[in-house]
C-alpha cells in the first residue's frame, strides 16, 4: 500500500532521498524564518545556524525566533532528559529549590536537572534546538546562572509560538536524598515558572535500586513529557 507524503511535503519529496524527505517535514516558512543554511553536501544534511538575538544582555547566546508554522497544530508533544554527576562542594538544586545534601550537581550553570529537562521538553515540542545550543556551556555568561533564566526563555518562546502548557509529567531518578519532603515545594515553584496551575504539573521521584551511577548516588537524572496546547 502506498504511503502518502506529509501534508506539507512537496509531491516530489516523497520519492527523493532521505535528505530531501527529512527536510520536507519542516514547513519552508519555519526553516526560512528560524535558521540560516551554512553548508550542505550530497552526503550529509545541511547545517543550520539559529538566528542571533537583538539584545544579548537579556537573551540567550543563540537566540531563537519562534514563528508559527504555516500549518499550526492544535497540540505538540515534547520529551526532555537530563543527567548530572553529583559531586561534593556543589549545592543540590532541583526545580529551583535548594535540597539539603552532602553533594550537588556539577554543571556550568546551577545544575538544576529538572528545569534543564523541562526546558528541553518545551523546546523539543516546538521543534527548536536544545538547551545546550541556546545556552552553551562554552559561554562564561551562563557560569553559575540560575536555571530559571532558561525556563523563562523557553516559556517566552512557547507563548510566542502560540502555545501553552496542557500538562507536564516529570520523573526524577536519584538514590538520595529522599524527595518526599520537598516534592510539593518543587511542584509549586515549577508551576509558577511555567505560569500554570499546579494541577497540570505532575512530579514523581524514583530510586535506581542501587544500580549504576544513579543507584550509587553518583548522579541524578530526570525525564519530562510535556503537552503543549494551542492558545
Amino acid at each position: 500500500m502506498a504511503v502518502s507524503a506529509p501534508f506539507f511535503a512537496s509531491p516530489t519529496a516523497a520519492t527523493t532521498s532521505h535528505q530531501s524527505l527529512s527536510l520536507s517535514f519542516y514547513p519552508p516558512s519555519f526553516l526560512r524564518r528560524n535558521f540560516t543554511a551554512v553548508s550542505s553536501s550530497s552526503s550529509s544534511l545541511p547545517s543550520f545556524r539559529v538566528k542571533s538575538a537583538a539584545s544579548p544582555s537579556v537573551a540567550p547566546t543563540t537566540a531563537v525566533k519562534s514563528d508559527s508554522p504555516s500549518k499550526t497544530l492544535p497540540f505538540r508533544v515534547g520529551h526532555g532528559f537530563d543527567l548530572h554527576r553529583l559531586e561534593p562542594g556543589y549545592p543540590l538544586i532541583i526545580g529551583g529549590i535548594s535540597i539539603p545534601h552532602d553533594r550537588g550537581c556539577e554543571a556550568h550553570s546551577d545544575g538544576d536537572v529538572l528545569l534543564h529537562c523541562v526546558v528541553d521538553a518545551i523546546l523539543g515540542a516546538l521543534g527548536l534546538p536544545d538547551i545546550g545550543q541556546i545556552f552553551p556551556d562554552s559561554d562564561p555568561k551562563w557560569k553559575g546562572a540560575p536555571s530559571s533564566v532558561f525556563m523563562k526563555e523557553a516559556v517566552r518562546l512557547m507563548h510566542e509560538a502560540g502555545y501553552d502548557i496542557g500538562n507536564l509529567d516529570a520523573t526524577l531518578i536519584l538514590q538520595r536524598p529522599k524527595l518526599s519532603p520537598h516534592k510539593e515545594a518543587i511542584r509549586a515553584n515549577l508551576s509558577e515558572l511555567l505560569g500554570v496551575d499546579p494541577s497540570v504539573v505532575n512530579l514523581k521521584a524514583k530510586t535506581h535500586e542501587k544500580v549504576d551511577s544513579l543507584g550509587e548516588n553518583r548522579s541524578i537524572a530526570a525525564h519530562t513529557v510535556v503537552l503543549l496546547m494551542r492558545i
Side-chain angles (χ1 to χ4, degrees), residues 118 122 151 155 158-159 164-165 168 189-196 201:
V118 172
I122 294 173
M151 280 286 294
V155 170
M158 175 180 69
H159 289 159
D164 206 347
I165 299 290
L168 182 149
N189 191 58
L190 181 57
S191 302
E192 183 177 350
L193 288 171
L194 292 168
V196 299
V201 175

Side-chain angles (χ1 to χ4, degrees), residues 93-97 110 112 114-116 118-119 122 146-159 164-165 168 185-198 200-201:
I93 301 173
I94 301 176
I97 304 299
D110 64 359
D112 194 323
L114 178 58
L115 293 193
H116 293 180
V118 172
V119 169
I122 294 173
S147 295
S148 58
V149 173
F150 313 147
M151 280 286 294
K152 290 173 182 176
E153 176 65 8
V155 170
R156 184 190 71 79
L157 291 167
M158 175 180 69
H159 289 159
D164 206 347
I165 299 290
L168 182 149
I186 294 171
R187 191 165 74 100
N189 191 58
L190 181 57
S191 302
E192 183 177 350
L193 288 171
L194 292 168
V196 299
D197 190 274
V200 304
V201 175

Side-chain angles (χ1 to χ4, degrees), residues 51-67:
K51 291 186 178 179
S52 300
S55 179
S57 60
V58 296
T61 303
T62 307
V64 181
K65 181 181 179 183
S66 176
D67 289 324

Side-chain angles (χ1 to χ4, degrees), residues 82 84 91-94 104-114 116 145 147 150 220:
D82 196 28
H84 284 288
L92 180 59
I93 301 173
I94 301 176
C105 293
E106 181 182 13
H108 186 68
S109 64
D110 64 359
D112 194 323
V113 67
L114 178 58
H116 293 180
S147 295
F150 313 147
I220 177 174

